[in-house]
Amino acid sequence: MTSKLEQLRTHSVVVADTGDLTAIAQFRPRDCTTNPSLILKTAQQPESAALVREVVAQAARDGDDIEVVLDKLAVRIGVELTRLVPGDVSTEVDAQLSFDTDAMVTKARRLIALYETQGVGRERVLIKLAATWEGIRAAEVLEREGIRCNLTLVFSLEQAIACAQAGAFLISPFVGRITDWYKKAEGRDAYPVDEDPGVRSVRTIYTHFKTHGYRTVVMGASFRNAAQVEALAGCDRLTVSPTLLAELDADHGPLHRQLNAPTQRTEDAQEPLTEAAFRWALVDNQMAGEKLTEGIRQFHQDYLQLHTDIAAQLKAHPTPAAVPAG
């Protein structure tokens, strides 16, 4: 029997949740996703040292400020990833911008322009935005410009519906972080996989989208174990860490499809979710509100660490000598 990883590929698009170039070459995902935490990890790996030095050296020659250098580094890693996967590469907008629609739109356009200057068209890139109300509105603008978006840090059905109604190309509902919250809140060590709150959340979103005919792609993310991944076989896409990809690749047991689109769909259009209803849903759903805020904060902390690391390298890098006047 083929490995569970190969079986999973027949049910869902397998996406690598990493910027690790070696792991991507090994597991051959169709797409890959990154975020500030993964970019930080990638930048610290020996295999990526030459790439980072190249970006820093060019930035020193160009006199770029640190914010521009970080954008160029994220895109440079993304460009390398497009050479390893045939599909989409996700690059995330700074978490600190998550409540500023205009700033997110501006940053997304800048990232796409950087990709295009390196020969990678926008059809290969997904811009990742936090699924705040402002992030969803930014996605609405960008999608109209042909810039596809991945709305991340999705923890509730209301977030997911708002993203779909805005025309977002893809959403990333987080499985493991939901499970973490409920384990702590309920004093549980584990759940049977069919009772796992994170798994059930994604199943609910998937069924709702297919029932109502939303075209937005559902990509399960943030897995804590292989059983969670297997329980969502059949979801449009699943983004999985190298550790769990390796575990699935080594397991040759059976893996069965778990999610199927409903045979009957409703023709009733849903009322657009208002800003007030969206914001109240995040207050009323304590888990979703807390995990969204926490996720934004964590991504920003890793961005700040990357900022510190790259700024130190930039400072230590020799700048070109000034050319005497005359």
Side-chain angles (χ1 to χ4, degrees), residues 98-141:
S98 295
F99 301 100
D100 188 332
T101 296
D102 291 341
M104 282 184 276
V105 170
T106 298
K107 176 69 78 170
R109 290 170 177 160
R110 185 181 306 157
L111 292 171
I112 289 295
L114 286 171
Y115 269 107
E116 290 177 340
T117 61
Q118 297 197 42
V120 176
R122 62 184 61 191
E123 70 280 359
R124 295 292 311 280
V125 181
L126 298 182
I127 295 296
K128 286 182 76 174
L129 304 163
T132 58
W133 180 258
E134 294 81 4
I136 294 167
R137 301 280 68 81
E140 191 171 35
V141 172

Side-chain angles (χ1 to χ4, degrees), residues 133 156-159 161-162 165 271-285:
W133 180 258
S156 71
L157 179 60
E158 290 82 4
Q159 278 180 288
I161 291 171
Q165 291 180 342
E271 288 292 322
L273 194 67
T274 65
E275 179 179 356
F278 177 89
R279 294 193 186 282
W280 176 251
L282 288 174
V283 171
D284 193 44
N285 184 336

Side-chain angles (χ1 to χ4, degrees), residues 36-37 51 68 81 86 109 144-145 149 161 180 187 196 231 262 278 280 293 307 326:
S37 304
L51 183 152
V68 173
L81 296 176
R109 290 170 177 160
R144 290 199 296 263
E145 298 177 3
C149 297
I161 291 171
D180 293 345
D196 185 309
F278 177 89
W280 176 251
T293 302
H307 186 290

Side-chain angles (χ1 to χ4, degrees), residues 14-325:
V14 175
V15 181
D17 194 16
T18 183
D20 186 330
L21 306 178
T22 302
I24 290 170
Q26 177 183 356
F27 296 113
R28 301 175 293 103
R30 199 195 75 174
D31 307 331
C32 59
T33 60
T34 64
N35 59 45
S37 304
L38 295 176
I39 293 293
L40 173 63
K41 184 176 180 180
T42 299
Q44 294 172 337
Q45 292 175 334
E47 309 91 276
S48 304
L51 183 152
V52 174
R53 285 197 301 269
E54 176 188 328
V55 171
V56 170
Q58 185 62 52
R61 289 193 293 270
D62 294 343
D64 293 332
D65 65 38
I66 185 61
E67 303 297 334
V68 173
V69 180
L70 294 177
D71 286 348
K72 288 184 175 180
L73 177 61
V75 169
R76 185 70 179 81
I77 290 172
V79 169
E80 288 301 312
L81 296 176
T82 65
R83 295 169 180 166
L84 295 173
V85 300
D88 300 324
V89 171
S90 291
T91 296
E92 190 152 344
V93 163
D94 311 350
Q96 191 175 15
L97 306 180
S98 295
F99 301 100
D100 188 332
T101 296
D102 291 341
M104 282 184 276
V105 170
T106 298
K107 176 69 78 170
R109 290 170 177 160
R110 185 181 306 157
L111 292 171
I112 289 295
L114 286 171
Y115 269 107
E116 290 177 340
T117 61
Q118 297 197 42
V120 176
R122 62 184 61 191
E123 70 280 359
R124 295 292 311 280
V125 181
L126 298 182
I127 295 296
K128 286 182 76 174
L129 304 163
T132 58
W133 180 258
E134 294 81 4
I136 294 167
R137 301 280 68 81
E140 191 171 35
V141 172
L142 294 167
E143 292 282 356
R144 290 199 296 263
E145 298 177 3
I147 298 175
R148 297 177 305 151
C149 297
N150 171 352
L151 272 295
T152 189
L153 295 172
V154 173
F155 298 102
S156 71
L157 179 60
E158 290 82 4
Q159 278 180 288
I161 291 171
C163 293
Q165 291 180 342
F169 176 75
L170 179 148
I171 62 169
S172 296
F174 277 31
V175 178
R177 297 193 191 195
I178 292 176
T179 305
D180 293 345
W181 191 93
Y182 278 101
K183 285 168 67 175
K184 182 177 180 180
E186 297 178 354
R188 297 279 295 267
D189 293 327
Y191 295 89
V193 71
D194 287 333
E195 298 175 17
D196 185 309
V199 170
R200 293 176 65 179
S201 177
V202 177
R203 286 179 174 178
T204 297
I205 291 169
Y206 176 87
T207 300
H208 187 90
F209 275 28
K210 303 312 176 188
T211 298
H212 289 273
Y214 289 127
R215 296 182 180 181
T216 297
V217 174
V218 179
M219 182 172 72
S222 172
F223 293 101
R224 296 294 181 258
N225 54 63
Q228 290 178 329
V229 178
E230 294 178 48
L232 293 175
C235 192
D236 299 329
R237 304 186 191 189
L238 298 171
T239 183
V240 185
S241 69
T243 299
L244 294 181
L245 288 174
E247 186 175 333
L248 291 165
D249 196 38
D251 189 338
H252 289 262
L255 183 148
H256 303 292
R257 188 182 186 97
Q258 301 295 322
L259 276 67
N260 291 282
T263 55
Q264 293 186 340
R265 297 184 180 181
T266 179
E267 299 298 324
D268 298 333
Q270 285 193 291
E271 288 292 322
L273 194 67
T274 65
E275 179 179 356
F278 177 89
R279 294 193 186 282
W280 176 251
L282 288 174
V283 171
D284 193 44
N285 184 336
Q286 184 180 353
M287 176 277 297
E290 289 182 3
K291 296 307 287 186
L292 175 60
T293 302
E294 178 186 85
I296 291 170
R297 184 168 56 249
Q298 288 177 342
F299 282 158
H300 182 57
Q301 287 170 347
D302 284 335
Y303 177 85
L304 290 177
Q305 183 60 57
L306 182 63
H307 186 290
T308 299
D309 293 351
I310 298 303
Q313 293 188 43
L314 195 62
K315 184 177 181 180
H317 198 280
T319 56
V323 178

